[in-house]
Amino acid sequence: MSESTQVKTQFGDAKSMDHTYKAITLGFWRALPVGVATVGGTWYMNSRNSFNFRNALGPSGKIFVAIGPPLAAWSYFSEVGIGRELKKELGGGAESEATSDVLPWKLRLANSFYDHTLLTFVSIVLPLYGAVLGHELTKPRPPGWRLSHAIIHTRVIGQAIAVGSLIVVFGGRETLKRNGAPFGVDKDDFYLSNK
């Protein structure tokens, strides 16, 4: 068997299996804090202080609240890991990582925002939705007020939050794109400017 012959398995060649393994482990370790936070938060809300949470959701709803966010985070970060591995394989990874270390922090932050715009949008909108729902659940209510009323009020206010955040975040990304994002440093220019 020659060296050029790749070992084929039921699931693909060794290189693709290595990429898959790296992406799955990256997704797991990045999603682990999300899982600890949501499982711990769900347990705390269920057992300690929230009468509304304890009675509003059934067992399957509580399981989804605990398991849904870590699964979404794992899926997202695994996909990012596959993209990084493919970028390295195609030759774009080593140069971009080397030049990103020499960028000023402002440009690295802009590149991170540009590359993770959807994640930025979700990280802005989700806490605001939670704050609105928390406010709706804690304010004094007339008799007969149900959880569905609070959810409807949250949805109406949340639509305004989502549209406003969408305009700001994705408008910011388009502004960065017009200004040359993602930013990089040409090695010759960098060394000339630091002499």
Side-chain angles (χ1 to χ4, degrees), residues 149-163:
H149 295 120
I151 291 174
I152 289 171
H153 285 192
T154 302
R155 183 187 60 82
V156 170
I157 297 169
Q159 283 176 339
I161 291 170
V163 169

Side-chain angles (χ1 to χ4, degrees), residues 63-101:
I63 289 171
F64 175 76
V65 167
I67 301 300
L71 284 177
W74 175 78
S75 175
Y76 173 77
F77 287 119
S78 294
E79 189 71 26
V80 167
I82 288 284
R84 284 183 184 163
E85 291 297 318
L86 291 176
K87 189 175 180 182
K88 285 179 189 175
E89 185 177 319
L90 295 174
E95 287 181 14
S96 64
E97 286 179 14
T99 57
S100 69
D101 291 340

Side-chain angles (χ1 to χ4, degrees), residues 178-190:
R178 277 184 269 145
N179 289 323
F183 302 106
V185 174
D186 186 14
K187 290 182 181 179
D188 296 332
D189 292 342
F190 179 74

Side-chain angles (χ1 to χ4, degrees), residues 37-188:
T38 57
V39 171
T42 304
W43 173 80
Y44 180 78
M45 292 293 285
N46 190 40
S47 64
R48 296 290 179 197
N49 67 347
S50 179
F51 178 78
N52 288 331
F53 181 81
R54 194 169 35 238
N55 293 330
L57 294 175
S60 60
K62 291 174 188 166
I63 289 171
F64 175 76
V65 167
I67 301 300
L71 284 177
W74 175 78
S75 175
Y76 173 77
F77 287 119
S78 294
E79 189 71 26
V80 167
I82 288 284
R84 284 183 184 163
E85 291 297 318
L86 291 176
K87 189 175 180 182
K88 285 179 189 175
E89 185 177 319
L90 295 174
E95 287 181 14
S96 64
E97 286 179 14
T99 57
S100 69
D101 291 340
V102 298
L103 286 175
W105 68 270
K106 295 175 189 176
L107 293 180
R108 281 187 280 164
L109 182 65
N111 282 345
S112 180
F113 171 75
Y114 184 82
D115 291 338
H116 306 292
T117 312
L118 185 61
L119 191 61
T120 304
F121 173 72
V122 170
S123 66
I124 290 171
V125 169
L126 219 54
L128 292 175
Y129 266 70
V132 171
L133 182 61
H135 174 71
E136 288 294 327
L137 292 175
T138 57
K139 71 180 187 180
R141 297 183 297 256
W145 185 266
R146 296 180 4 205
L147 178 65
S148 61
H149 295 120
I151 291 174
I152 289 171
H153 285 192
T154 302
R155 183 187 60 82
V156 170
I157 297 169
Q159 283 176 339
I161 291 170
V163 169
S165 299
L166 186 74
I167 291 169
V168 169
V169 170
F170 285 91
R173 184 181 194 278
E174 288 302 313
T175 302
L176 285 174
K177 187 176 182 178
R178 277 184 269 145
N179 289 323
F183 302 106
V185 174
D186 186 14
K187 290 182 181 179
D188 296 332

Side-chain angles (χ1 to χ4, degrees), residues 13-29 74 77-78 81-82 85:
D13 62 355
K15 189 188 297 184
S16 65
M17 289 180 63
D18 184 50
H19 292 330
T20 303
Y21 174 76
K22 287 179 182 178
I24 289 172
T25 54
L26 174 75
F28 173 77
W29 288 112
W74 175 78
F77 287 119
S78 294
I82 288 284
E85 291 297 318

